[in-house]
Every structure is written in C-alpha cells, then in structure tokens.
Amino acid sequence: MTATIITTLNNQESTKFLNSKFGEMASFSVKFSATSSLTSSKRFSKLHATPPQTVAVPPSGAVEVAAERLEPRVEERDGYWVLKEKFRKGINPAEKAKIEKEPMKLFTENGIEDIAKISLEEIEKSKLAKDDIDVRLKWLGLFHRRKHQYGRFMMRLKLPNGVTTSAQTRYLASVIRKYGKDGCADVTTRQNWQIRGVVLPDVPEILKGLDEVGLTSLQSGMDNVRNPVGNPLAGIDPQEIVDTRPYANLLSQYVTANFRGNLSVTNLPRKWNVCVIGSHDLYEHPHINDLAYMPATKDGRFGFNLLVGGFFSPKRCAEAIPLDAWVPADDVVPVCKTILEAYRDLGTRGNRQKTRMMWLIDELGVEGFRAEVVKRMPQKKLERESTEDLVQKQWERREYLGVNPQKQEGYSFVGLHIPVGRVQADDMDELARLAEEYGSGELRLTVEQNIIIPNIENSKIDALLNEPLLKNRFSPDPPILMRNLVACTGNQFCGQAIIETKARSMKITEEVQRLVSVTQPVRMHWTGCPNSCGQVQVADIGFMGCLTRKEGKTVEGADVFLGGRIGSDSHLGDIYKKSVPCEDLVPIIVDLLVNNFGAVPREREEAED
C-alpha cells in the first residue's frame, strides 16, 4: 500500500489545538523552529531481539492486579505532584530528595537566584544545599561535575527535533567561550546540545539569555521527559512520510508548559524518552524510546501506531513493544499526556534500576497498562492498532552526510561529520556563519552526533564545500569508519563513566583504519559505563566501559557488543566479549571487521593491487 498525506500545521492552529485540548494551557504561545506540510508510504515490522540483559516481553493480555495496586501513588499539593506518605517505604534516595524539597521550586520560585549567590564552601556545609546542586538542579538541566570538574556544570538543553538557529548557536558559543579550556559543547544522541564549564553564579544570566533566543534547559534531566526526537530531514526529505517538526514542538511545549514548567510531569519515577517517526529510515531509533509514534493511516485518517517501553539501563535493556493503539494526529499530545500520567501515578519508586516504564508494563501486562492509559484519555477510549503502517518494512537506510537533494527544487542539504560530537566555541560561531551565508540560518542535529545544514541553493554548494571548516574540521565525506562513530562524554567530564571514550574512540578507530580496508558502513559506538548513553546495544560493534585486569594490574577495559541493528529490522546487539583491556581492542576490532563486515587487511589489499 502506498499513501500520500498532506497536512499543514501552522503556529495559530497549533496554539488553538493546545488550547482546545488543555484548558490550563490557554495562555500558551506555541513557538516553532519551523513548520511545513506533512507528506508520504508499508507495514512496520515488529521489533525483536533478546540480548543477554533483556527479559521476556511483557504478557500481551492483562495481568491480574489487585485493585489497591492501581491507586495513584502521587497526589497534587499546592500545584506540585507529591508521593503519598503511604507509598514512601523503601523509596530510593532521589525520591527522598524530591520529598525533602521540591526541585522545580528552584525555577518556579526563583530559588536558582538565591543559590547562585552562595559560595561552594557554604553550600558544602548544608546537606540540603548540596542536594540542590548535585540533584535538584538537574530539573533545570544543570549537572554538577563534582567528580571531574568540581564547581562546574554541564547544561543540557531542550531542542525538539534537533532544529536550532544560527542565533541560538552563537549564544551558546558565547557562553562556553568565557570558560576557556573548561568550556565546550557536545551534540548528544538525542539531537541535543550539552554545554560544559558553566559555573553557578552565571546560571541566572544564562537562563535569561537562553529564553531570549528561544531556548530552555528546563526539565532536561533526572525524572523528566527528555528531548523529543524527530526526523533530522523533516520538511526537506523527498521521501519523508510526515514532517515531524510540528509534533516534536507540540510535545516539547506541552512538557515544559512553553518554558514555564509543566508541574504535572516533573515527578516521574524515572527519565522518559519520546520520538516521532517521519521517514522509512527510522533515524529516530523508535525501538529504544519509552514512546514512539509510528506513522499509520486508518480509515483514510492519518495518525500513529504507538510503541512503548524501550530503554537502556545497567541491569536491563528492553525494546519498545506495540501498545496495540492508534491515535489520529490531533491526539499526539493527549495520548502522551495520559501515558505519562499512568506512569507517574503507578510506577514504582524503589530500586532505580527497576523504575523505568517498561517495568510497570511488565507488572500490569500490555493490556493492563493500555487500560490505565484509556482510563485517562479525554474520551475514555483508544483505538486499536492500525494495519496500515506507512513505514516500509524493507528499506535501505539512507546516508545523510555529504550533499543531498531536498524536496524543494534547486536546494540541497549538506550533512557534516562532527567527530564524536565535540565542538568548541569557534566551531559553533563558524557553523552559525555557514548556516546563514549558505542556507537559511538553520542547523539540524542528529542522534549520530552530526550536524546538517539545510536549504542551500545548489549554486552555492561548491563554495560551501571549499570552506576551511569543512576542509579541516567537519568533513561532509569522512573515512567510512569515522562517519558512524559515536561516543558518550566519558570520564573526562562524567562522574558515572568508568573509562575515557571520545579521544580513545578516535585513536583506536584511526589505528584500525590503518590495518584494514572497509567498503561498507560500520557503526561503532562507545559508552563509558553501563548506563549506555552511547547506545552501544544498537551499534554494529559497541564498547561499554569497565575496569579489568591485565598482568596483575587494574586497567580500563570494555565489554564488546556485536550485531545491533537500526532501521526496519532493528534489534539490540549481544555481548561478544567481556572485559577486554582497551589497549587490546584493536586486533579484536580488526578480526570482527574482516569476519563480519567484509573488511580486507591492508597488506593483502596492497599485495592484490
């Protein structure tokens, strides 16, 4: 089946939509990075895989659950959602910190202004103040780097669909530049910016500056909804199914109450990821999100089938599964709201390793969880899944690096490789200049930590390709093993990371490239710890940091994963070899490339030539 759907969602209609769905949002002024028409085409294959850490798929029917288990565990008090006293036994430290002091008050009651004036020496004398900077400030997107950069913070933004402007990019560059060698920025695996080196006294002014350029860092950490991911080619892709930007923007504006803070979803049991699928390529990685919207028609109406529960954690990885539900496009936000409320109300708050939404789905069964969602829907009903999926089952995932034609005649986009996502202030200024001079002043971030410049007139392409930044730093045509290399922050800055990742991943990949010739794309991901921010389970070859022993000494090492897939046959990889010293990884990678990916050793290639 092939279908073409044309829909337009402009700013006025979006505001009207939110106002009609949510009375408390009647004063919203919905901001859009861009909007465009929504367009075109088969059945989405069910996701599958059972790597060693996964557990059985939740039962498809309803599980018998005692009525008292379905009592909401939180209640609203003075505008904030608080865990009821009767459910506080055995809760984890993060829940205790939330009860001791509401994190969002640092924002809603301007608590950040007060704490920014206090010296770190004074803060250290108070447990409450220490928890403010180490835990509660994460609700404002601020992460204290106590272990490796004491007194400095990483700030994570909200950047729905990964769309940003030159003005926003320049502002972020101005923030990190003042911190010298401590300041830099990273493109994340959720199409987002993280900036580093921030000091507490500067935060109130930075927050004001973000607001002035249409950005926010609110609700981007801890037990909140993370950045909504969409198709990085939305609105410009000749083969897109639907433009995801309006939906990602609607979701983000709902979650943050248009940058004012949506207190109904700031006390979740754990973090929560969402994405909207817009192409057959599944650039958005639906199988690893708590909620994924999969384009589908039903009785001539455009909408989305829903996948739920995908996540990574140190103890378990689970792929998203069908909720057996379809919603029309108008119900994207309402169904997100009800799923979040079901999770907020019923999710457990004990062991942090067992508080992601999939654990609740396990407990209730898919049908039981679905019933709780239906109970919270405005009309108390939720249509069953459509059989008219628009994502083609067999689809060769397309490359977006380099020069590619847009659906707009006479225009192209250029995908740039950003080595492991790390940029400096001067890089950001130059990217902003190039976006304005050659494009429309817009940049697109991708989950592979790369950047796309859209809307370039074809007559300007050659000049852009000759720019020094593209020649010397961010190539549109990088070596084949580098182009899909992903690495988390690593222990340079992150206190969770066990090993250094960014510099090491580059060095090892360069060594491997000298030893073998590779003709097909191979995705290699690095993560510094089992939290898997580097998403090693979806990589062809993944490396998860650990400590191991070699010659009687403790050294940095990695568990090696193999066989992860993205796209139409998505599945998670398996552990191939555990606890390999990092210094011994090169020959293992070479063997894997030769035996599994058709690589040829350089000596043999040279001899044959």
Side-chain angles (χ1 to χ4, degrees):
M1 175 193 136
T2 302
T4 301
I5 298 95
I6 307 260
T7 308
T8 301
L9 187 61
N10 62 34
N11 290 2
Q12 187 177 17
E13 289 168 341
S14 302
T15 305
K16 183 180 177 183
F17 165 76
L18 279 177
N19 292 346
S20 69
K21 296 293 182 182
F22 306 102
E24 70 271 21
M25 296 183 179
S27 62
F28 276 19
S29 172
V30 179
K31 302 177 183 178
F32 282 86
S33 303
T35 56
S36 170
S37 57
L38 313 172
T39 73
S40 222
S41 199
K42 263 181 173 183
R43 178 84 184 138
F44 173 69
S45 59
K46 302 302 183 213
L47 302 169
H48 60 280
T50 51
Q53 311 110 293
T54 62
V55 298
V57 173
S60 57
V63 174
E64 191 171 332
V65 177
E68 56 267 24
R69 175 61 185 91
L70 301 180
E71 178 188 346
R73 300 184 170 208
V74 295
E75 60 186 359
E76 190 175 8
R77 296 182 192 170
D78 302 321
Y80 299 94
W81 288 83
V82 181
L83 189 63
K84 297 175 182 176
E85 282 82 357
K86 66 191 289 186
F87 294 113
R88 294 182 181 180
K89 185 177 180 181
I91 59 175
N92 59 62
E95 293 296 333
K96 292 176 183 177
K98 288 189 275 186
I99 291 168
E100 191 173 16
K101 179 180 176 181
E102 168 56 50
M104 284 297 290
K105 288 185 178 180
L106 289 169
F107 178 78
T108 58
E109 298 182 6
N110 239 357
I112 184 62
E113 297 273 359
D114 297 326
I115 198 167
K117 298 172 184 174
I118 305 173
S119 70
L120 286 172
E121 185 179 31
E122 286 300 310
I123 287 172
E124 292 294 344
K125 295 177 182 177
S126 162
K127 181 184 182 302
L128 192 67
K130 281 178 67 176
D131 284 346
D132 277 346
I133 69 166
D134 289 343
V135 181
R136 298 184 192 95
L137 277 180
K138 293 176 182 178
W139 270 255
L140 277 65
L142 288 155
F143 296 71
H144 185 208
R145 306 291 75 178
R146 176 176 287 275
K147 188 173 179 181
H148 296 300
Q149 266 193 317
Y150 178 76
R152 294 191 178 271
F153 292 78
M154 177 270 283
M155 177 178 270
R156 180 184 296 147
L157 304 183
K158 275 277 203 290
L159 205 69
N161 214 110
V163 178
T164 190
T165 67
S166 291
Q168 292 168 344
T169 306
R170 282 199 184 93
Y171 176 70
L172 296 178
S174 73
V175 172
I176 63 174
R177 179 174 284 110
K178 67 186 291 186
Y179 301 123
K181 63 181 177 59
D182 292 312
C184 64
D186 290 321
V187 181
T188 78
T189 54
R190 291 201 66 77
Q191 290 185 311
N192 205 355
W193 283 121
Q194 291 181 168
I195 60 174
R196 302 186 180 280
V198 173
V199 293
L200 196 54
D202 294 345
V203 168
E205 198 61 36
I206 293 173
L207 292 175
K208 290 174 187 173
L210 289 175
D211 189 63
E212 287 170 3
V213 295
L215 290 174
T216 187
S217 62
L218 191 61
Q219 295 169 240
S220 59
M222 282 297 282
D223 302 338
N224 285 286
V225 179
R226 303 304 172 85
N227 193 49
V229 168
N231 178 12
L233 310 181
I236 61 175
D237 180 5
Q239 300 187 69
E240 77 176 354
I241 303 168
V242 62
D243 185 337
T244 57
R245 292 171 298 173
Y247 300 108
N249 275 291
L250 282 170
L251 289 167
S252 192
Q253 295 304 328
Y254 161 67
V255 165
T256 66
N258 206 18
F259 297 4
R260 297 203 307 268
N262 184 348
L263 302 180
S264 70
V265 292
T266 57
N267 188 6
L268 302 176
R270 203 69 164 77
K271 70 177 181 179
W272 196 86
N273 294 322
V274 61
C275 71
V276 184
I277 303 306
S279 80
H280 308 286
D281 306 270
L282 304 183
Y283 293 123
E284 309 84 352
H285 298 179
H287 57 303
I288 59 175
N289 279 263
D290 292 277
L291 172 61
Y293 293 88
M294 307 297 300
T297 55
K298 193 171 191 181
D299 302 327
R301 298 170 294 156
F302 175 75
F304 299 90
N305 285 331
L306 305 179
L307 301 178
V308 292
F311 79 103
F312 295 147
S313 78
K315 298 298 183 185
R316 178 188 178 189
C317 298
E319 292 196 68
I321 58 175
L323 184 61
D324 191 13
W326 176 90
V327 293
D330 281 353
D331 281 346
V332 163
V333 173
V335 80
C336 177
K337 177 179 184 288
T338 57
I339 290 173
L340 281 170
E341 288 174 352
Y343 177 45
R344 177 200 66 195
D345 293 349
L346 302 175
T348 59
R349 296 170 185 257
N351 182 348
R352 292 279 283 182
Q353 296 301 326
K354 296 184 177 182
T355 54
R356 292 294 296 270
M357 193 173 76
M358 183 62 96
W359 292 95
L360 177 62
I361 298 171
D362 285 345
E363 185 181 358
L364 303 184
V366 175
E367 199 61 30
F369 179 76
R370 188 185 189 283
E372 290 301 314
V373 173
V374 171
K375 188 189 299 183
R376 291 164 173 81
M377 286 292 286
Q379 304 302 322
K380 309 296 182 191
K381 64 181 181 180
L382 185 61
E383 294 186 51
R384 293 290 174 176
E385 182 177 78
S386 170
T387 59
E388 302 168 32
D389 289 320
L390 296 178
V391 179
Q392 291 188 12
K393 186 174 180 180
Q394 301 299 326
W395 184 266
E396 185 79 28
R397 191 175 191 265
R398 295 168 295 160
E399 178 63 79
Y400 60 76
L401 294 182
V403 180
N404 300 274
Q406 292 186 188
K407 64 164 61 174
Q408 294 83 7
E409 188 175 352
Y411 287 83
S412 295
F413 66 87
V414 176
L416 304 181
H417 175 244
I418 312 297
V420 293
R422 175 62 51 83
V423 296
Q424 306 298 328
D426 289 348
D427 298 328
M428 297 179 81
D429 277 339
E430 192 65 358
L431 284 165
R433 180 187 72 80
L434 296 179
E436 285 182 343
E437 189 169 324
Y438 295 96
S440 57
E442 180 180 290
L443 296 167
R444 308 280 187 93
L445 278 56
T446 80
V447 298
E448 290 86 12
Q449 302 178 313
N450 294 315
I451 291 178
I452 293 167
I453 303 178
N455 306 318
I456 304 165
E457 291 182 34
N458 289 340
S459 61
K460 296 181 178 180
I461 291 293
D462 287 343
L464 173 60
L465 296 179
N466 282 311
E467 285 280 353
L469 189 71
L470 276 64
K471 291 284 190 182
N472 304 323
R473 289 277 287 141
F474 302 145
S475 173
D477 187 25
I480 197 163
L481 287 180
M482 284 293 184
R483 66 196 306 124
N484 293 303
L485 184 64
V486 169
C488 76
T489 301
N491 67 11
Q492 179 186 5
F493 296 119
C494 179
Q496 301 281 336
I498 300 167
I499 68 170
E500 197 283 322
T501 54
K502 286 193 181 289
R504 174 175 278 129
S505 66
M506 295 280 290
K507 181 175 182 292
I508 286 179
T509 302
E510 287 168 358
E511 291 180 26
V512 170
Q513 286 179 157
R514 287 194 289 268
L515 296 173
V516 291
S517 173
V518 183
T519 58
Q520 69 180 78
V522 180
R523 295 170 304 102
M524 296 196 291
H525 288 213
W526 287 71
T527 196
C529 76
N531 286 314
S532 203
C533 296
Q535 303 175 346
V536 299
Q537 293 88 347
V538 302
D540 292 314
I541 306 174
F543 308 92
M544 180 181 287
C546 67
L547 293 178
T548 188
R549 304 281 292 177
K550 182 175 181 180
E551 298 174 356
K553 295 180 181 179
T554 299
V555 297
E556 291 191 357
D559 293 337
V560 181
F561 286 71
L562 181 65
R565 293 285 296 166
I566 55 178
S568 60
D569 61 342
S570 310
H571 59 267
L572 303 182
D574 299 319
I575 290 181
Y576 170 74
K577 197 165 189 175
K578 291 182 69 68
S579 303
V580 179
C582 287
E583 60 192 59
D584 297 338
L585 282 171
V586 170
I588 290 175
I589 299 171
V590 167
D591 286 345
L592 287 173
L593 291 173
V594 170
N595 295 327
N596 296 274
F597 300 96
V600 177
R602 292 284 183 191
E603 308 97 355
R604 193 201 317 166
E605 183 184 49
E606 290 165 5
E608 289 172 352
D609 289 344

